[in-house]
Amino acid sequence: MVAVQSWLHSPCPAIVVNAAGVVHSMNDAAKVLLPADIEPRWQHGDSVLISERSYAAHRVDHSSGEVTWWLLDDTDLRLERHRAELLTRMSTVLMTSLNPERCMRVVAELASTHLADDVLVIAPGTTDGHPVTRCVRGEAPTHELRRIDVEEVVGLSEALRGFPPVPSRWIDPAAAPGWLAHGATSIVVTPLPGHGVPAGALILMRRDRHFAEDEEAFARLFASRAGVAMSAAWLFTRQAAITERLTRDLLPPVLRRYDSVDLAGRYRAAQDTEQVGGDFYDVHERENGELFVVLGDVCGKGLDAAVQTGQVRTTVHALLPVVADHDQLLRSLNKAVLTTDRGRFITVVVATVKSCEEGLHVRLTSGGHPPALIVRANGEVRAAKTRGTLVGLLPEIVTTTDEVVLAPGDSCLLHTDGITEAVGGPLGDEEFGEERLLRALEECGGMPAEALVEHVHMLAAQWIGSGTHDDMAVVAITAPRRR
């Protein structure tokens, strides 16, 4: 009798079906939930939708041939499972963009599709205003930079500073400013927490019903994922801007045009995924009208080499006003490199260029660098007679200076060993080499500086193919043809 009474008064709906499949009894909970003439046609484990609630059907067989069907309410479990799956999908979509504006649009679209009728995503403000993205369900999001008074919306100022959200029941839609509410009946304001600092605020609005507590809790979970994504996008953008600014300062300069000297340069870092490396060149104008050209190669590759490259270029720039000749410059540079970084050395070649009646007078000095190549207009090619000690390796260095005169159409080519040591060719294992470069330059007599450096770089690139290579830099100093 106790077992019977327990079955009848159980809060879980139960139906007893005879061997013919006809319902002949049900407990009190089932009588409230189900019509008297119901015919159970579900299978064990099926989900049954009754009065907007979901029930899992569980079958218990009896020796008499009767079957008891227990209906277990799993609505909340299914809802939580659905929300967990939804959060996972949302997180995947959110992390697809590292562009801040695009990320804000994705957040607004997801929120308007799954959480609210009208959504605003507001990023922290600047002196120009707050970035604001708005999305109405079924419409495309809009983005603008807008000046807003965050104190006009209850909880918005706090959310933008990362404080906990204000419950929606505390926010009166009728008191919301015109730029925010469009016939809203319920408003949720929740922070978008980022990586240590707030990423913004999320405002959700509904027009036909209020937010339940569990819906507000789910909105906070979504906001935490969205905040991380937005914060990552802002961080990436800031880092990219910093990197671009620093990289621009480390790259060789764009060479300007001169009336009496034709100059051109080309640079390619060792890794095509990077923009900077250890090769460099610069051109400085001296007070006496001379041009001072320096080309060098810092030991190593990548960012570390690029950092020292920047230091070397700065040092040369600082030394030029106070040194009298190439030898003094290279000795001073040697001491500076030894002082700042004993783990690295550099090779460098310097050239002083000035106009003369014959064309250009060029003085060349090398500090452990491959000799400059003189390319005559008639195709004759020879190496300049410069030798010298590596810079930054020994306390004292020895250098040798050569002087050449470039007639109109003649060129002086400065290059790093990334050109001659480029590995490739038919089998992919042979260096381009100095001899191959000399033969190629025999066909370049009379070329303008721009065409000469482009041709050398093209030859090296073709030789390398898809293989790896060292940093490569080339500068051509050409005496313009007279008209």
Side-chain angles (χ1 to χ4, degrees):
M1 178 64 69
V2 174
V4 172
Q5 291 298 324
S6 176
W7 173 79
L8 289 173
H9 301 296
S10 171
C12 181
I15 306 169
V16 179
V17 181
N18 61 24
V22 178
V23 176
H24 70 76
S25 62
M26 60 178 67
N27 67 1
D28 295 340
K31 291 176 182 178
V32 173
L33 183 67
L34 302 169
D37 58 348
I38 188 171
E39 296 182 19
R41 298 184 181 275
W42 50 74
Q43 300 293 321
H44 182 79
D46 280 355
S47 180
V48 183
L49 187 63
I50 304 173
S51 300
E52 298 185 355
R53 302 288 293 181
S54 175
Y55 295 85
H58 293 269
R59 173 179 179 143
V60 177
D61 294 293
H62 303 288
S63 57
S64 63
E66 293 179 334
V67 176
T68 299
W69 286 99
W70 291 90
L71 301 179
L72 305 181
D73 191 336
D74 64 352
T75 306
D76 294 336
L77 177 61
R78 286 180 174 273
L79 179 60
E80 290 304 316
R81 188 177 298 161
H82 169 72
R83 286 175 173 172
E85 294 173 352
L86 184 59
L87 274 178
T88 300
R89 294 198 303 272
M90 286 178 169
S91 297
T92 301
V93 175
L94 285 169
M95 299 309 294
T96 58
S97 177
L98 288 175
N99 176 279
E101 181 180 331
R102 170 60 183 159
C103 192
M104 291 179 68
R105 290 177 180 271
V106 170
V107 171
E109 282 186 296
L110 287 172
S112 66
T113 301
H114 301 286
L115 303 177
D117 300 312
D118 195 354
V119 174
L120 269 79
V121 180
I122 303 177
T126 65
T127 54
D128 297 322
H130 289 267
V132 178
T133 298
R134 184 169 207 143
C135 188
V136 177
R137 180 173 293 174
E139 298 180 9
T142 59
H143 184 85
E144 63 178 333
L145 189 64
R146 181 169 188 163
R147 294 187 179 276
I148 59 176
D149 183 356
V150 297
E151 301 297 339
E152 288 184 317
V153 182
V154 176
L156 179 56
S157 174
E158 292 78 6
L160 287 170
R161 291 187 305 224
F163 290 107
V166 173
S168 62
R169 63 180 182 276
W170 293 5
I171 303 176
D172 180 10
W179 61 266
L180 173 65
H182 294 282
T185 59
S186 184
I187 299 176
V188 167
V189 179
T190 187
L192 293 165
H195 295 281
V197 294
L202 177 67
I203 301 179
L204 308 175
M205 292 172 282
R206 283 182 176 168
R207 300 191 185 95
D208 55 350
R209 62 188 179 91
H210 291 272
F211 289 94
E213 289 188 11
D214 64 317
E215 291 174 323
E216 291 189 45
F218 180 69
R220 290 194 292 272
L221 287 175
F222 169 75
S224 66
R225 309 287 179 93
V228 169
M230 285 178 54
S231 181
W234 285 111
L235 181 62
F236 175 82
T237 300
R238 286 194 291 269
Q239 292 296 329
I242 293 171
T243 301
E244 191 276 333
R245 181 68 180 87
L246 294 175
T247 299
R248 189 166 65 246
D249 287 344
L250 293 174
L251 285 172
V254 176
L255 302 184
R256 56 161 291 191
R257 294 181 179 275
Y258 298 90
D259 292 336
S260 58
V261 182
D262 186 10
L263 283 175
R266 284 291 184 278
Y267 171 78
R268 182 180 178 185
Q271 299 296 326
D272 291 335
T273 55
E274 300 175 356
Q275 297 184 41
V276 294
D279 288 7
F280 66 95
Y281 57 80
D282 274 307
V283 176
H284 304 272
E285 296 183 58
R286 308 193 76 167
E287 292 183 357
N288 59 4
E290 294 179 337
L291 292 182
F292 190 88
V293 183
V294 55
L295 178 142
D297 181 0
V298 172
C299 172
K301 302 177 184 178
L303 184 58
D304 288 343
V307 170
Q308 189 173 12
T309 293
Q311 295 172 347
V312 170
R313 293 172 65 190
T314 301
T315 302
V316 171
H317 184 74
L319 288 172
L320 281 176
V322 297
V323 297
D325 55 31
H326 293 181
D327 185 66
Q328 187 180 0
L329 173 72
L330 292 178
R331 289 177 185 276
S332 299
L333 180 60
N334 182 66
K335 292 179 181 179
V337 175
L338 283 173
T339 302
T340 58
D341 193 343
R342 293 183 179 273
R344 292 183 184 274
F345 59 85
I346 67 172
T347 67
V348 63
V349 58
V350 294
T352 301
V353 185
K354 65 178 180 179
S355 297
C356 62
E357 291 185 2
E358 297 86 350
L360 295 176
H361 180 268
V362 182
R363 284 189 296 122
L364 295 160
T365 306
S366 171
H369 199 83
L373 301 176
I374 310 304
V375 183
R376 299 298 182 183
N378 62 6
E380 177 189 344
V381 181
R382 74 168 180 88
K385 298 176 182 179
T386 57
R387 294 289 184 273
T389 311
L390 294 169
V391 175
L393 190 63
L394 300 173
E396 296 294 334
I397 64 171
V398 177
T399 62
T400 302
T401 298
D402 189 14
E403 298 189 26
V404 298
V405 174
L406 302 180
D410 292 349
S411 296
C412 174
L413 186 74
L414 313 180
H415 65 90
T416 59
D417 59 13
I419 299 293
T420 54
E421 295 179 4
V423 177
L427 300 179
D429 59 353
E430 185 180 357
E431 287 189 355
F432 188 68
E434 190 77 26
E435 290 300 321
R436 189 174 280 105
L437 176 61
L438 292 173
R439 290 198 301 271
L441 291 177
E442 290 174 355
E443 302 176 1
C444 300
M447 275 190 178
E450 191 72 28
L452 181 57
V453 296
E454 183 66 28
H455 183 67
V456 171
H457 249 253
M458 181 187 68
L459 289 175
Q462 290 176 342
W463 185 259
I464 294 165
S466 59
T468 58
H469 59 88
D470 198 357
D471 301 322
M472 295 187 293
V474 181
V475 171
I477 305 168
T478 302
R481 292 185 180 276
R482 293 170 179 168
R483 296 179 181 178

